């Protein structure tokens, strides 16, 4: 049966496509029967929302009908049918502090009582900036509404500072909802990543392979790159770690060729105390944080080196006066965002919490490796801090193209249904599983048990 | 003295530049002495934030040092020095429901206890969409994080649907932080509005004069416009109202020439129940709402006509599958946003509340006209619902260029200091004054008394 799909990569052969298809079908029936209230809401939703949901693209995330959620607490949420799910996607890392975290709830409550927004600073914004400067080593900070907004400002500042136009990103990147980085490489050429992007958007970006300094240098040498933007470890195409020296080499090359380097830690900041910037002592010109640092509250932040901050200071617009860098955002730095950020940094994202998280992440990834080994699957469990992942070959991926070989859509779709029907919310197709600050060892073990059961059910019997 | 500045417009001559400069100087001294705690925080802030504030551009808003806020309640906020201010800018319309509105606070509190975000829908999102559909007549709704994000999606959908690239906007427009509309006309040519925008951004937009259907048609006839974007009444360059028939004529012309029309009511939605869309029975393809509908919570929304919604439905991306319109946003439609939107619509933005607001707005604008008349200033008080404004000529502006003639930077800077020192927070240079749902008649009268006192102090004595 496995030979029936000619494009199927070699390393998928350990999975029986027949058993997978059968399992997916039966799990799908179970899922439907368990989620009838959700289905009814979805039907009602279709009369006033595209695809029945508040963002149509959310429909495209799951390959099964969207659930409607009732509520969540800690690591777990409950749908409107009363089913519970331990979330191993951690809401795409927007909720690494857990649902209804009391520290964050208290901070937001105080913010609402203080007044949600003023378009004037509150003193706590200084506390946040000082703490981020201390923790990351990046000295100056600015607020936005999300990492997308932060990356937007970064690109604009870099363009204004360097007088250049292009952004360099890596295969497998995702930096949010801005035009400039919504590009992908197809057939060796850069093209728009989706419909409706502005004409010529592909001329504003270059895409190279991660961990390939020579390729980066070839592009940088052309002198058109304003800023190189990357996650320290790519987290949107399973998990790709940098080779030793790659990121500092990239910084040196960028500077040698008149470009700046931005580290996007919207996801990575949950991977280690102070982010990978601190953990790996990385040099950079910009550091981007997002997902409300994992609190579920909408805000992003970007850090600036002293020279970049001095440039922005000298090129800040005066309303109805001199033009400056096109930064903006009248709803940025709300009291909600500032208070949540302060509580997150001071009360949740402590060294002790990261230490515990590290232990849980190790339990998850080493446990997953044990499952692979036990089932004779020649795979590797990815691991970085709280993040694990299914690498369907023995060697870890070194770039996006290699990582995508382990994104087996059918396997993931079946696994998600299987897991959901047994109380686990599985990762986005391109991510995790990942533990949050509030997961427990028992929940990790529950995940591992189900992963074993699932893989046992779908592997080719000959490998037994 | 007034003759000493050759570029000074005719209609400024009623203001004594000499008295204005003196007043500004003395008020500036008073302001500094009243705000020493803010100054100290600003000084501390400069070590970790550009310009000492969480968004550097905020520094450019005021032409005086930024205040640090302690807290707000209702229409009024207090700075860290203990000074109180009735806000007649209403935080650039982000807080039209007032600071610490109990309905919104309760909703956000419930949202935090429910779990701030799931990347899955909650049933209340349907309630919001259904109510918006009922109230505005626009049938389908989607969430974003702010009006900027909504306008971004609108442009992308319009491009994908029409196969065209350009956006048409009007002189005096502001549609948020997206590249495409950050353009301005200088010397008859469209150029980038700020530093750091992508090369060629000016090729993605056309700018015409508001209320000029012939000019709009000339551009539309070229067949390059995907979407025409406008506020029903321009609110970012004082206040410019549409001529009768202009907006429906624009819709007809757009459709005649294969383009779509987007009404941006991020500000205007507070001007009338159901927005100006409903009040004036306007046709449109897209309707954009923002500023958390005035709650201070970060969210935006966009409405779609049935044909446009059907297009998006048919072109929604499947992750790792077919490409779709490049819509996105992993932090959109949080529980916080959805619950706040529901509470805003059901508990605050009621017909009765708009009726009361209308009365207050009339009191403000007719009172301001009385002040002008009494002081023999040949000016006109602008008026639309809760919004008033200083039009420094007898005829209301019909487009951005005419409106900008009434934006007298020195006058505004002095007025703001004068007002601030007496407990009134004045409008952005390009906006208001405007009343919120929680202002009182006494506060309006306080504003009017101070406006009279200020204008009396700075007008040319010969006009007395």
């Amino acid at each position: 049966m496995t030979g029936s799909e000619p494009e199927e990569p070699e390393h998928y052969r350990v999975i029986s496509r027949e058993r997978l298809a059968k399992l997916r079908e039966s799990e799908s029936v179970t899922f439907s029967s368990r989620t009838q209230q959700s289905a009814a809401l979805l039907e009602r939703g279709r009369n006033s929302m595209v695809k029945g949901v508040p963002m149509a693209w959310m429909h495209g995330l799951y390959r099964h009908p969207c659930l409607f959620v009732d509520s969540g607490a800690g690591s777990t949420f409950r749908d409107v049918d009363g089913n519970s799910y331990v979330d191993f996607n951690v809401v795409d890392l927007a909720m690494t502090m857990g649902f209804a975290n009391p520290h964050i709830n208290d901070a937001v409550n105080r913010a609402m009582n203080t007044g949600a927004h003023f378009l004037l600073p509150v003193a706590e914004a200084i506390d946040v900036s000082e703490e981020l400067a201390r923790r990351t080593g990046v000295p100056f900070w600015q607020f936005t509404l999300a990492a997308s907004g932060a990356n937007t400002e970064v690109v604009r500042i870099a363009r204004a500072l360097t007088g250049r136009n292009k952004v360099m990103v890596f295969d497998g990147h995702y930096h949010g909802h801005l035009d400039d980085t919504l590009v992908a490489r197809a057939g060796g050429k850069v093209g728009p990543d989706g419909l409706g992007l502005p004409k010529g958007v592909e001329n504003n970006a270059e895409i190279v392979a991660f961990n390939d300094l020579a390729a980066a240098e070839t592009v940088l040498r052309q002198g058109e790159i304003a800023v190189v933007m990357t996650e320290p470890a790519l987290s949107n195409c399973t998990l790709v770690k940098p080779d030793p020296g790659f990121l500092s080499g990239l910084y040196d090359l960028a500077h040698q060729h008149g470009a700046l380097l931005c580290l996007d830690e919207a996801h990575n900041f949950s991977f280690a105390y102070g982010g990978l910037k601190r953990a790996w002592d990385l040099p950079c010109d910009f550091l981007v944080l997002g997902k409300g640092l994992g609190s579920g509250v909408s805000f992003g932040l970007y850090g600036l080196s002293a020279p970049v901050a001095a440039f922005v200071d000298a090129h800040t617009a005066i309303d109805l006066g001199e033009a400056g860098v096109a930064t903006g955002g009248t709803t940025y730095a709300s009291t909600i965002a500032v208070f949540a950020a302060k509580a997150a940094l001071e009360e949740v994202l402590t060294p002790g919490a990261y230490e515990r998280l590290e232990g849980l992440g190790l339990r998850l990834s080493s446990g997953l490796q044990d499952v692979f080994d036990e089932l004779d699957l020649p795979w590797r469990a990815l691991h970085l801090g709280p993040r694990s992942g299914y690498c369907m070959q023995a060697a870890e991926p070194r770039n996006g193209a290699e990582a995508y070989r382990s994104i087996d859509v059918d396997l993931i779709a079946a696994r998600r249904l299987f897991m959901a029907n047994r109380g686990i919310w599985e990762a986005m197709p391109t991510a995790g599983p990942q533990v949050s600050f509030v997961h427990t060892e028992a929940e990790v073990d529950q995940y591992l048990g189900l992963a074993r059961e699932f893989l046992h059910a779908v592997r080719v019997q000959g490998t037994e």
Side-chain angles (χ1 to χ4, degrees), chain A:
Chain A
M1 277 305 291
T2 57
S4 69
E5 291 174 77
E7 326 82 350
E8 184 185 300
E10 180 97 24
H11 52 278
Y12 286 12
R13 301 255 166 98
V14 289
I15 298 298
S16 158
R17 295 291 137 177
E18 190 182 6
R19 298 172 80 177
L20 188 62
K22 270 191 194 155
L23 184 73
R24 185 173 172 185
E25 204 180 308
S26 65
E27 292 297 331
S28 189
V29 171
T30 307
F31 184 83
S32 294
S33 74
R34 287 164 53 91
T35 58
Q36 295 188 33
Q37 297 297 325
S38 279
L41 283 170
L42 201 55
E43 198 51 38
R44 185 185 141 209
R46 283 184 198 282
N47 296 320
S48 62
M49 298 188 287
V50 182
K51 300 286 185 196
V53 292
M55 298 97 79
W57 72 272
M58 201 154 67
H59 161 88
L61 266 183
Y62 300 106
R63 295 180 189 246
H64 61 65
C66 267
L67 296 181
F68 277 73
V69 174
D70 175 76
S71 62
S75 62
T76 304
F77 68 87
R78 197 174 58 194
D79 69 17
V80 290
D81 288 275
N83 304 301
S84 280
Y85 307 87
V86 182
D87 187 359
F88 275 84
N89 178 223
V90 199
V91 188
D92 193 34
L93 310 199
M95 296 301 294
T96 56
M97 301 179 192
F99 302 109
N101 183 301
H103 299 289
I104 303 300
N105 285 12
D106 179 56
V108 171
N109 212 345
R110 279 185 288 111
M112 296 308 292
N113 288 330
T114 298
H117 194 40
F118 298 105
L119 202 43
L120 282 168
V122 289
E124 288 80 356
I126 309 180
D127 299 335
V128 170
S129 299
E130 287 178 348
E131 172 55 19
L132 284 172
R134 191 197 63 73
R135 198 175 285 208
T136 66
V138 178
F140 291 92
W141 288 87
Q142 297 277 273
F143 272 81
T144 64
L145 211 46
S148 295
N151 285 327
T152 298
E153 309 296 48
V154 163
V155 172
R156 290 182 185 169
I157 293 166
R159 281 196 175 117
L161 195 156
T162 62
R164 297 173 175 185
N165 188 52
K166 286 189 177 178
V167 182
M168 188 171 113
V169 293
F170 295 93
D171 255 338
H173 73 283
Y174 181 70
H175 298 295
H177 205 43
L178 56 160
D179 290 348
D180 292 313
T181 59
L182 282 173
V183 287
R185 204 156 52 171
K189 278 187 64 181
V190 178
D193 190 13
L195 310 177
L197 294 163
K199 194 171 144 182
V201 69
E202 62 275 11
N203 301 325
N204 298 338
E206 296 283 349
I207 307 179
V208 302
F210 199 67
N211 278 323
D212 187 343
L213 279 181
E217 183 167 23
T218 302
V219 170
L220 284 163
R221 208 184 281 132
Q222 292 162 23
E224 297 181 314
I225 301 298
V227 61
V228 179
M229 189 171 278
T230 190
E231 295 182 279
L234 304 184
S235 69
N236 289 286
C237 55
T238 74
L239 177 69
V240 180
K241 286 178 260 182
D243 292 344
F246 172 67
L247 292 170
S248 58
L250 195 59
Y251 176 85
D252 291 342
L253 277 178
H255 277 237
Q256 206 173 308
H257 295 285
L260 300 167
L261 178 69
C262 174
L263 300 177
D264 179 347
E265 295 219 48
H267 282 176
N268 287 182
F269 197 65
S270 67
F271 287 11
Y273 178 74
L276 297 178
K277 162 79 177 82
R278 179 193 175 108
W280 294 343
D281 193 19
L282 302 171
C284 68
D285 302 291
F286 300 97
L287 181 61
V288 164
L289 309 179
K291 299 276 170 85
L293 303 180
S295 65
V297 175
S298 299
F299 66 88
L301 283 150
Y302 61 103
L304 309 166
S305 69
V308 175
F311 176 84
V312 178
D313 189 284
H315 295 84
T316 294
I318 302 294
D319 207 1
L320 302 169
E322 324 138 39
V325 182
T327 60
T330 53
T331 58
Y332 296 178
S334 70
T335 318
I336 307 174
V338 172
F339 282 26
K342 184 173 155 81
L345 290 168
E346 294 178 359
E347 298 169 51
V348 186
L349 302 176
T350 60
Y354 277 98
E355 208 173 300
R356 181 180 172 280
L357 186 70
E358 186 72 30
L360 275 180
L362 185 62
R363 188 181 189 95
L364 176 63
S365 59
S366 64
L368 201 55
Q369 187 64 58
D370 289 347
V371 170
F372 298 163
D373 294 347
E374 202 185 319
L375 294 177
D376 274 333
L377 295 167
W379 295 357
R380 190 175 172 86
L382 298 169
H383 176 223
L384 184 59
R387 169 63 71 91
S388 189
Y390 296 74
C391 174
M392 300 172 76
Q393 56 188 34
E396 290 199 23
R398 290 186 59 244
N399 55 48
E402 288 181 22
Y404 269 98
R405 284 186 213 139
S406 293
I407 299 177
D408 178 338
V409 169
D410 292 328
L411 183 80
I412 293 167
R415 196 175 71 217
R416 291 169 73 163
L417 285 167
F418 182 93
M419 292 279 188
N421 289 335
R422 289 155 184 83
I424 295 278
W425 196 243
E426 243 290 21
M428 281 204 165
T430 51
Q434 176 162 338
V435 286
S436 78
F437 290 100
V438 296
H439 276 77
T440 63
E441 292 191 350
E443 287 164 346
V444 169
D445 295 345
Q446 184 192 352
Y447 180 92
L448 293 170
L450 287 175
R452 192 195 177 288
E453 199 181 319
F454 170 75
L455 290 171
H456 184 268
V458 298
R459 69 174 177 162
V460 172
Q461 294 178 313
T463 64
E464 249 166 323

